[in-house]
Amino acid sequence: MTLRQKVIVAFGLITVPLVAFLLYTNYYSSKVVREQAAGYNAGLLTLYGDQLDQTLETGNSYLYRLANQEPVIRSLVYHAGDLDEYTMTRVAVSSRLYADFQYNPSMYLEFVYNPNNRDLIMAQPNEKSYEEAEGIASYLKGLFEGAGQGDRIAPFELLWQHCSIGGDSFLLRIVQTDTNTYAGALIRLDVLMKPLQLIARDQSIHAYFLSREGAWLTPGPPPDAAAEGSAAIVASASDNGSGKRAYRTVRGAEKYLMVSHPLGLCDLVLAVMIPEKVMLQQVPMFQRIGYVIPFAAGIVLLIFLAYVQNLVIDPMQRLVKGMRQLSKGNLDTRLAAGRSAEFALIGETFNNMASEIQDLKIHVYEEEIRSQKAEIKQLQLQMNPHFLFNSLNIIYNLAETGRVRLIQQMTRHMVEYLRFFARLKEHAITVREELANVEHYMNIQKLRFPRHLAYEWEMEDAAAAAQLPPLTVQPFVENALKHGFSNGRDLFCVTVRARVLDREGRRFIELVIEDNGKGFPAGLTEHLTETLADPAYTKAHIGIWNVYNHLKIQYRGEAELRLSNVEPKGARVVMVIPYRVSSQEGEVQDAQPIDRG
C-alpha cells in the first residue's frame, strides 16, 4: 500500500465515523420532529373528530326524536286519505323542520318521506339553486322508490354515510318511524371540514375527508400523493386496532407525513398531510449541515491530500526515485532542497551519501584498475619463462647437431624475440608488432622442422596500428604446434589473419589463427568458459587460460574468444577485441567508426 493510500485510509477512519454520526444525528432529529408533528396533529384530529362525532350524535338524537316523538309526523299517515287535512299537515311538518334549523346549524337539509303516497317534504334554509334542490329530491326519491329500496336505505339507517349529489359531497342519515315514514338530514362535508381547514391553512398543512376505502371526498382535486395516501388509509384501518402508529410517510411531488383519524359515527376518515419541508422547517440549518457534511468532508479530503502530497508524498517520491537511480548506478543523482526542515535534512544527508558513494566508487575503481594491471603483469611474467624455455630448448637441440648457420639464424630470431620480450612491461603493442613476434617464433620452429612447418599471415593496413595486449596471438600459435602438429609426412600450416570489423558504428579487430592439425576436443569448443574454469585443464593449457583471462580483465567483457574446428581437419581460434589506437600522449583510446563512404 502506497503512502497516499495509507493517508486516505487514515483520513477515512477519522472522517467516516464522524460523518456517519452527524448523518445519524440528523436522521434522529428529523425522526423526533416527525414524531412530535405526528403526535400534535394526531391529537388535533382526535379532538376535532370527537367534535364531529358529537355533532353527528346530536343530529342522530334530533332525528330519532323527530321520528318517534313528533305528532305532526305521525299525522301524515293518519290524514293520507284526506287531501285537505294532508296538505295542512304537510305544511305543518315543513314549518317544524324549518323551525328546528336554529337548533341544528350543521344541518344543510332536513326531510321527511311518506312512502304511502310517495311524498318527500324537504326543508333547506340556504338553498343554492332550484337545480340543486331538484337534484337532491331526485337522489332521495331514488333511494326510497323502486325495487330494492330496503337495501339502498339500510346503510344510511346504521351510520351517517357519505354520498355525492350534483358533484357535492354530503353525509346522509335516515331514521324510520313506527308509522313507516322516514326522517333524515344532509350535512355538507365542506361545512364540517371548514374549521379544520382554517387551522391547517395557518400551519401550511392540508386536511381531507376520505372514505375508509381510501376514496378522496373533500371538494377540490386530490393531492399529488393521492395513490399512496389511499393505500395508507386502508393500511391504517388495520393498524389502529393493533396499537401501531397512526401516521405514515407518503410520496408524491414531495414527501408528506400523513396522519389519520377514523370518525366513530360515520364511514369517514379525517386526515391531514404535512409537507416534510414544512414539518422540518424548525431544523433547516441542521438538516442542511447534515446534507453538506459529506461534500465538505470530500473537499477537505482533497485539500488535505493536496497538502500532504506537497509536504510529504512528493518529497518521499523524489527520495524513492533518487534511491532507485542510485541502485542503478547513477551516482550523479541529487535531491532538491525540501520544503520542510525534516525533508531538507533528509535531502542533504542523501546528497552527502551519494557524493561519498561516488567518491568511494571512484577510489574502488582506481584500485581495481591498479589490481588488474598488477594481475596482467603477473600473467605476462608467467608466460615469459614458458616461451624462453621452449626457445632455449630449440637452440640446444641445434647445437647438438652442429648446425652453425642455423644457430646463427636461430640466434638472430632469438635476439628479436628477446627484444620483444623486454617490452612486455608495456601495456599495449600494435598488431604489426605482435604478428612480427609470432613470425620470429615460427621461424625458430621452422629451423627445427624445416620440411614440416609452414606459416602464413595476412593483415589489413587499417589493422596494423591497432593496439592489443602483448602475447595475445603467440600462445595460440604455440598451442597449435604443441597439440596439433605431428611429425609426419603432411605439412603443418599455421595461418594468422587480422582485419577490421564495423559493428553498430564501433570498430573491432578480428584475429583468426587457423591450422590444419588435429583440432580441439569437442568439450572445449562447446563449453569454453566451464572448461577454462577447470584447474586440471588450466594447468595443462596455461597459455590459452592466460589469454582468456587477459582479455576478460583488459576489455571488461567487450572482447570475444571463440574456438572451433574446421573441415576436413584443423582448429580455428577467433578473437574480436575493440579497435584502439595509441594517442599522441601514449594513452590507448577507442578509435572512431570506419567511414565506408
Side-chain angles (χ1 to χ4, degrees):
M1 182 180 292
T2 63
L3 181 60
R4 182 187 291 106
Q5 293 172 337
K6 292 181 179 179
V7 170
I8 294 175
V9 170
F11 186 86
L13 292 176
I14 297 173
T15 57
V16 169
L18 178 61
V19 171
F21 173 76
L22 293 175
L23 291 177
Y24 174 76
T25 304
N26 178 54
Y27 164 77
Y28 181 75
S29 63
S30 300
K31 182 179 179 182
V32 169
V33 172
R34 190 178 290 108
E35 294 280 356
Q36 291 177 348
Y40 169 77
N41 286 278
L44 177 63
L45 290 183
T46 300
L47 179 62
Y48 192 73
D50 291 343
Q51 292 178 354
L52 292 181
D53 285 337
Q54 183 63 39
T55 300
L56 297 178
E57 179 62 31
T58 301
N60 285 341
S61 298
Y62 167 72
L63 291 177
Y64 279 117
R65 187 175 65 253
L66 183 67
N68 297 308
Q69 299 178 11
E70 186 58 45
V72 70
I73 301 297
R74 294 173 176 271
S75 299
L76 288 174
V77 177
Y78 301 147
H79 300 296
D82 188 343
L83 180 61
D84 293 335
E85 289 293 334
Y86 184 81
T87 302
M88 292 177 63
T89 303
R90 190 178 190 280
V91 172
V93 171
S94 178
S95 299
R96 181 57 188 269
L97 294 178
Y98 275 105
D100 290 341
F101 270 107
Q102 61 180 327
Y103 306 109
N104 300 294
S106 60
M107 302 290 187
Y108 183 67
L109 181 143
E110 297 175 10
F111 65 90
V112 174
Y113 181 76
N114 183 5
N116 295 321
N117 53 2
R118 298 182 180 181
D119 184 21
L120 178 64
I121 305 169
M122 297 191 310
Q124 186 179 7
N126 301 313
E127 182 178 327
K128 287 185 178 181
S129 64
Y130 174 78
E131 289 77 11
E132 182 192 45
E134 286 295 317
I136 294 175
S138 175
Y139 178 81
L140 293 175
K141 287 182 178 181
L143 292 177
F144 292 109
E145 298 174 1
Q149 58 87 21
D151 295 334
R152 292 193 297 271
I153 295 174
F156 298 100
E157 292 181 310
L158 297 175
L159 291 172
W160 290 84
Q161 297 285 340
H162 73 277
C163 61
S164 179
I165 304 174
D168 295 325
S169 296
F170 298 91
L171 283 178
L172 173 60
R173 183 74 164 87
I174 299 175
V175 177
Q176 187 177 11
T177 68
D178 55 359
T179 58
N180 201 30
T181 57
Y182 296 92
L186 287 174
I187 300 176
R188 291 183 67 93
L189 290 184
D190 54 355
V191 174
L192 294 178
M193 182 61 70
K194 186 172 293 184
L196 182 59
Q197 286 181 334
L198 292 176
I199 298 173
R201 189 179 298 115
D202 293 338
Q203 299 182 4
S204 300
I205 61 179
H206 310 285
Y208 301 95
F209 271 130
L210 293 89
S211 70
R212 295 188 181 182
E213 292 76 24
W216 296 83
L217 304 177
T218 303
D224 50 45
E228 287 196 20
S230 298
I233 291 298
V234 175
S236 297
S238 60
D239 290 347
N240 288 334
S242 61
K244 296 182 180 179
R245 58 178 182 167
Y247 73 91
R248 292 181 179 274
T249 300
V250 296
R251 295 179 182 272
E254 56 182 307
K255 193 175 181 181
Y256 297 92
L257 182 71
M258 187 173 187
V259 183
S260 60
H261 175 76
L263 298 179
L265 297 180
C266 66
D267 64 341
L268 298 183
V269 176
L270 190 61
V272 292
M273 295 184 67
I274 312 165
E276 189 168 90
K277 63 180 181 181
V278 175
M279 178 181 56
L280 299 179
Q281 63 184 357
Q282 300 177 8
V283 286
M285 183 58 66
F286 192 80
Q287 188 179 30
R288 293 192 187 99
I289 291 175
Y291 292 148
V292 170
I293 282 175
F295 299 100
I299 295 175
V300 171
L301 175 60
L302 293 178
I303 296 174
F304 179 73
L305 286 179
Y307 176 75
V308 173
Q309 178 82 22
N310 185 52
L311 186 65
V312 178
I313 296 179
D314 285 345
M316 288 296 295
Q317 288 180 341
R318 288 195 294 269
L319 177 61
V320 172
K321 184 178 180 180
M323 294 174 66
R324 289 175 177 172
Q325 291 296 323
L326 277 184
S327 66
K328 294 178 181 179
N330 300 325
L331 300 180
D332 295 331
T333 303
R334 297 293 183 272
L335 297 182
R339 295 182 176 87
S340 63
E342 293 79 2
F343 279 104
L345 177 61
I346 292 175
E348 182 180 358
T349 304
F350 178 88
N351 294 337
N352 293 337
M353 179 186 68
S355 299
E356 291 177 0
I357 292 176
Q358 188 175 26
D359 294 341
L360 179 62
K361 186 172 183 179
I362 292 174
H363 295 328
V364 171
Y365 180 73
E366 292 176 348
E367 182 64 27
E368 183 181 356
I369 291 177
R370 287 193 292 268
S371 176
Q372 289 176 352
K373 288 183 177 179
E375 185 175 355
I376 291 173
K377 178 59 74 174
Q378 183 180 6
L379 291 175
Q380 291 173 342
L381 291 176
Q382 186 178 6
M383 292 180 184
N384 293 336
H386 184 67
F387 289 126
L388 182 61
F389 172 78
N390 289 337
S391 300
L392 291 176
N393 188 52
I394 293 174
I395 294 175
Y396 175 79
N397 292 331
L398 291 175
E400 282 187 339
T401 59
R403 300 178 181 179
V404 176
R405 186 177 61 82
L406 292 179
I407 292 175
Q408 292 176 342
Q409 294 178 4
M410 182 70 172
T411 304
R412 181 173 61 83
H413 290 302
M414 278 294 299
V415 169
E416 295 297 331
Y417 174 77
L418 291 176
R419 184 178 290 115
F420 177 86
F421 181 79
R423 297 180 58 191
L424 290 181
K425 63 180 180 179
E426 297 180 9
H427 181 65
I429 62 174
T430 65
V431 173
R432 184 188 304 276
E433 292 170 337
E434 174 71 13
L435 297 188
N437 179 62
V438 172
E439 184 176 15
H440 289 303
Y441 174 79
M442 287 300 298
N443 284 331
I444 293 173
Q445 297 294 346
K446 287 170 64 177
L447 288 175
R448 182 180 179 186
F449 306 103
R451 291 184 300 274
H452 299 280
L453 290 178
Y455 171 68
E456 300 176 356
W457 60 280
E458 303 173 4
M459 179 177 61
E460 293 182 356
D461 294 338
Q467 300 283 317
L468 78 168
L471 297 179
T472 299
V473 178
Q474 192 267 343
F476 290 100
V477 175
E478 180 181 354
N479 187 75
L481 291 175
K482 182 177 180 181
H483 299 284
F485 172 64
S486 60
N487 192 7
R489 296 182 179 182
D490 295 334
L491 181 66
F492 183 79
C493 181
V494 177
T495 304
V496 178
R497 294 188 296 272
R499 63 170 183 157
V500 179
L501 300 179
D502 187 6
R503 293 182 178 178
E504 298 180 355
R506 293 192 59 189
R507 301 176 75 182
F508 293 84
I509 294 296
E510 182 186 64
L511 300 170
V512 180
I513 302 100
E514 288 184 356
D515 64 67
N516 58 350
K518 298 177 181 179
F520 292 112
L524 178 62
T525 59
E526 295 175 0
H527 306 286
L528 177 62
T529 302
E530 293 81 355
T531 303
L532 292 179
D534 185 2
Y537 182 88
T538 300
K539 185 176 181 180
H541 302 80
I542 193 168
I544 296 178
W545 182 86
N546 281 336
V547 174
Y548 174 78
N549 284 276
H550 198 164
L551 294 178
K552 183 171 65 173
I553 295 173
Q554 181 73 22
Y555 295 102
R556 296 179 175 272
E558 292 185 324
E560 298 179 13
L561 174 61
R562 300 191 299 270
L563 306 183
S564 61
N565 293 320
V566 297
E567 295 295 336
K569 63 177 182 177
R572 176 186 291 123
V573 177
V574 179
M575 287 181 287
V576 180
I577 61 176
Y579 186 94
R580 296 177 178 177
V581 295
S582 178
S583 64
Q584 294 180 355
E585 290 79 7
E587 297 180 353
V588 178
Q589 299 178 346
D590 288 345
Q592 297 297 322
I594 300 173
D595 185 5
R596 300 291 184 181

